[in-house]
Amino acid sequence: MAKPFVAGTNQAFDAVSLELLWRRTISAVDEAAKALRRTSFSTLVNESNDFACVLTDASGQSLAQNTESIPSFIGTLPVTVKQFIKEIGLENMRPGDVLVTNTPWIATGHLNDITVAKPIFRSGRIVAFAASTAHAPDIGGKVRSVEPREVFEEGFHIPVMKFMNEGKPDQTFLRLLRAAVRTPDQTEGDLWAQITGLDLLERRLGEVMTEYALDDLESFAGEILGRCEKAMRAAIRALPDGDYTHEFQTDGLMDQPFTYRIAIKVADDRLSVDYAGTSAQVDRAINCTMTYTFAMTAYALKCLLLPDLPNNEGIFRCIEVRAPAGTIVNPRFPAAVGGRMATGHYLPVAVFGALAPVIPERIMAASGSPLWSMIQTGVRPDGGTYANVLFFNGGMGATDSHDGQSTYAWPSNVSNVPVELIERNSPLIVHHKQLRAGSGGAGRFRGGLGQEIEFEVTSETPIGVIFMAERCRFPAPGMRGGRPGAPGEVCIDGAQVDYHKNVVLTKGQRVTLRTPGGGGMGPANQRDRTAIEWDLRQGYGQE
C-alpha cells in the first residue's frame, strides 16, 4: 500500500494530494451533518434539512461545508466564528469549549437559528473550528411572524458566550433556554445534536491530520482558498466590465410594496454589489440583516459563475456587497428580523435580473419563493406547550433549457414536511396535498408548479396559526417572453385572508394554502408540442 503524502507546516501540496485531502475534509463535514440530523429531535432538522455544518481554519475562514446544507449558511457561519474569536479570544478558549450565539447581526439574521462552534486543538493550539447552525423548533417570544416591532419581542437572545467550558455545559444557560421556549425538549435536544456533530467532526479531522502528518491547516487552507479565489476571479474576468442594474417590487406590507434595487459593477476580476435605493426598514419582522444579505447575494453569484466548485471562503474574497444602513436589506438594531427570509430570498432574483443581459443562458426565471411556512402553536391536553413549523414550497423558475422544478425550495434548500408528520405532530388533518395545475408560468420552458394543501383543525382547544407567505400580490415574473407564475393564496374557510396577521382557529376550521408557481422562460408559442402533451397527460394544464 502506497504511503500517504506527508505535509508539515507550510509545506506545499501537489494537486492530487490536495484534492484527496479536500475530499476527505468535505466527507468529514458531511458525516458530521448526518450525525446531527440523525440525533436531532425536531422535524426542522431531521425532515426539513434546516441546518448546516462548516469547518473553518483557526482564523474563521470557511474551508468546507456539508454538501446538502442551507446555501446561505456558507456566508453567515464564518462571520459568526470570526466574531467568537474577536469577542472571546483564542487565548481564552480551551479544549472541550463550545461557543454559542443567535445574535441576528453577527449570525444568520434571526434569533431562530442557533449557531455553535468548537475550537479544535492540536499540540496545544487551535488549528480549526467545527461549527454548525440549526433552526430551533421554538425560541420563545411572539413566535416567528411579521408582527413584532423590535427584536426584543422575537424570543430568547443568546449573546456570544461559552455554552460548554472545558466539556462542562452551562446548566444555568440551559435552564434559562428551556424556560423561555414552548418546546424545551426539542430545542435542547437539537442543541445537543449540534454538539454531537461538532464532536464527530473534531475526531474525523484529527484522524485526517494524523494520517497526513499535518501540524496545522495553514498550508492546506492557503492552497484551497487561494485556488478557489483564483477560479472565481477568472470567472468574473470572463464577464464584460460594466455596470448592471435591476429593479422590481414585491408584496410588501399593508398594501405598500417593497422596492428592490441592485447595481452590480464588474471591474476586471472583482465584482461589487450595491443595494442603494432599496426600501427603508420597517417596524415589522421582515427586515434582513447584512450577514444574510451578503450570504444570499454571494450564493446567487456562485450559482451563476462557479456552480461546480465546493463552497469555501476563497470564492467570496473578490465579491463586495454594500447596502445603505436603515434599509430592509441592512436594518439598524433593534429592528425586528424574524421573517428575514421573506426579504433575503428575493436577492438572488435581483442578482439574476441584473446579469441576465450578459449571461442569459445561465439565468433562471423567478421562483415561487420566498419559502412559505405555517407556524402552529397550542397547548396539549396534558398542559404542555408546543410549536410546529411546517414548510411548503412553490415552483422554481424555468431555465434556458429546462422546465422549473415543482414545489422546490430555491434558494433555501429546505424540504417540504411530509403529511404523515404534519398529522402526527399537529392537531391537523390534511384533506389533500396536490400540485396546482396551471400554476407554472407558461413559456418555451414552463415554470415549476406550486402546491395546494388543505388542513382541518382537530384540536378541542383553540390553536394559534402564523403564516409566512409571499408572491400573493406580485407573482414570479417570467423572462424573455415567458409568463409569470400563478400568485399564492392563503384562505381560511374558503376566504382569502391577510397572511401577515396571526390568527386563532378552532375545531373544524379549514386552512387552504396555494403556493406560487415559478416564472416561464421564452415565448409560450415556442414550447415543444411533445412537452405540452406531456403536461396535459400529467394534469399540469398549459394547453
Side-chain angles (χ1 to χ4, degrees):
M1 182 175 178
K3 186 177 180 180
F5 174 82
V6 176
T9 302
N10 296 323
Q11 184 173 340
F13 290 81
D14 65 81
V16 173
S17 296
L18 182 66
E19 180 69 15
L20 289 172
L21 183 54
W22 193 17
R23 294 296 168 179
R24 287 281 301 276
T25 303
I26 295 171
S27 177
V29 180
D30 282 342
E31 188 180 357
K34 295 283 194 237
L36 193 168
R37 185 170 190 170
R38 289 171 180 168
T39 58
S40 64
F41 282 46
S42 76
T43 59
L44 277 167
V45 174
N46 55 45
E47 288 291 339
S48 294
N49 198 53
D50 199 350
F51 73 98
C53 295
V54 163
L55 178 72
T56 80
D57 67 7
S59 64
Q61 298 183 100
S62 63
L63 299 178
Q65 178 188 22
N66 68 296
T67 307
E68 298 178 353
S69 72
I70 301 299
S72 63
F73 292 162
I74 184 62
T76 62
L77 266 168
V79 173
T80 311
V81 173
K82 290 168 187 170
Q83 194 67 25
F84 285 146
I85 295 171
K86 178 181 178 181
E87 293 197 28
I88 295 177
L90 295 175
E91 70 279 5
N92 298 315
M93 298 179 191
R94 302 289 181 269
D97 285 357
V98 173
L99 321 173
V100 64
T101 190
N102 68 347
T103 303
W105 280 262
I106 60 169
T108 68
H110 64 182
L111 296 174
N112 305 79
D113 293 330
I114 297 177
T115 298
V116 293
K118 184 175 188 178
I120 298 175
F121 285 78
R122 192 167 181 84
S123 301
R125 65 191 183 102
I126 295 173
V127 296
F129 285 88
S132 73
T133 293
H135 189 142
D138 185 69
I139 202 66
K142 290 183 99 172
V143 188
R144 190 164 62 109
S145 73
V146 300
E147 289 198 348
R149 267 52 168 187
E150 294 181 324
V151 69
F152 304 113
E153 303 175 49
E154 296 186 299
F156 186 70
H157 179 200
I158 307 170
V160 169
M161 60 177 290
K162 288 187 180 183
F163 164 52
M164 298 185 72
N165 200 327
E166 297 186 62
K168 296 179 181 179
D170 185 332
Q171 295 296 339
T172 300
F173 165 77
L174 284 176
R175 290 182 65 192
L176 289 170
L177 175 64
R178 290 180 64 88
V181 302
R182 299 168 182 84
T183 58
D185 290 342
Q186 287 189 347
T187 299
E188 183 185 352
D190 280 5
L191 180 58
W192 283 114
Q194 289 182 260
I195 305 305
T196 298
L198 301 187
D199 290 346
L200 180 57
L201 181 52
E202 178 184 35
R203 292 197 303 273
R204 292 293 182 263
L205 180 65
E207 293 166 2
V208 171
M209 293 182 71
T210 296
E211 181 178 336
Y212 282 82
L214 295 174
D215 300 321
D216 55 46
L217 296 180
E218 291 178 12
S219 179
F220 170 61
E223 288 280 359
I224 289 295
L225 301 181
R227 293 184 186 212
C228 291
E229 178 184 358
K230 183 178 179 181
M232 178 56 93
R233 288 187 182 278
I236 294 173
R237 196 179 293 113
L239 298 174
D241 283 358
D243 297 301
Y244 306 100
T245 62
H246 188 59
E247 181 177 330
F248 60 93
Q249 291 188 315
T250 65
D251 291 6
L253 289 169
M254 296 173 289
D255 297 326
Q256 294 297 316
F258 290 157
T259 296
Y260 290 76
R261 190 171 296 155
I262 186 173
I264 297 178
K265 183 178 183 63
V266 178
D268 192 29
D269 62 354
R270 290 195 59 82
L271 190 151
S272 62
V273 179
D274 196 328
Y275 288 101
T278 298
S279 292
Q281 73 182 66
V282 293
D283 64 344
R284 295 292 192 282
I286 202 169
N287 302 289
C288 178
T289 66
M290 195 63 203
T291 52
Y292 199 76
T293 292
F294 172 83
M296 296 310 299
T297 304
Y299 167 65
L301 290 167
K302 183 182 182 299
C303 286
L304 291 176
L305 302 177
L306 212 61
D308 297 326
L309 204 63
N311 285 328
N312 67 75
E313 197 154 343
I315 294 169
F316 307 122
R317 286 174 171 174
C318 42
I319 296 171
E320 179 185 8
V321 181
R322 299 185 299 271
T327 59
I328 56 172
V329 290
N330 187 13
R332 294 186 176 93
F333 179 85
V337 292
R340 54 95 169 97
M341 85 287 185
T343 295
H345 286 185
Y346 281 116
L347 302 183
V349 177
V351 172
F352 283 19
L355 293 179
V358 288
I359 44 174
E361 72 285 355
R362 303 185 205 173
I363 300 297
M364 179 174 67
S367 295
S369 53
L371 175 72
W372 278 39
S373 64
M374 187 176 92
I375 301 97
Q376 184 267 309
T377 62
V379 180
R380 301 194 188 280
D382 63 2
T385 57
Y386 69 93
N388 292 303
V389 182
L390 311 174
F391 291 118
F392 306 100
N393 301 322
M396 286 182 67
T399 68
D400 196 52
S401 57
H402 292 89
D403 291 344
Q405 295 289 329
S406 297
T407 66
Y408 229 72
W410 190 87
S412 70
N413 200 37
V414 169
S415 301
N416 292 297
V417 180
V419 169
E420 295 82 359
L421 291 178
I422 294 172
E423 295 185 335
R424 185 192 74 181
N425 298 333
S426 309
L428 301 168
I429 185 169
V430 179
H431 285 282
H432 65 258
K433 182 180 182 182
Q434 61 196 33
L435 294 173
R436 289 184 68 191
S439 59
R444 181 168 180 260
F445 293 101
R446 168 184 49 74
L449 275 61
Q451 62 182 297
E452 176 176 306
I453 183 165
E454 183 173 282
F455 313 90
E456 181 179 340
V457 178
T458 60
S459 174
E460 297 294 337
T461 57
I463 64 171
V465 173
I466 298 149
F467 304 106
M468 300 294 291
E470 279 288 318
R471 292 207 181 279
C472 294
R473 297 179 57 208
F474 291 83
M479 295 195 75
R480 303 213 301 274
R483 296 174 188 168
E489 297 178 7
V490 178
C491 301
I492 296 177
D493 295 331
Q496 290 197 47
V497 297
D498 183 351
Y499 51 90
H500 288 133
K501 292 183 178 179
N502 301 354
V503 297
V504 176
L505 302 179
T506 56
K507 186 175 182 179
Q509 288 194 277
R510 295 196 179 195
V511 175
T512 304
L513 303 179
R514 300 183 180 98
T515 63
M521 179 69 74
N525 60 13
Q526 294 181 7
R527 185 164 178 79
D528 183 78
R529 186 65 200 174
T530 302
I532 295 174
E533 292 172 353
W534 188 87
D535 281 350
L536 293 173
R537 287 196 303 272
Q538 297 297 317
Y540 294 171
Q542 303 288 338
E543 174 56 83

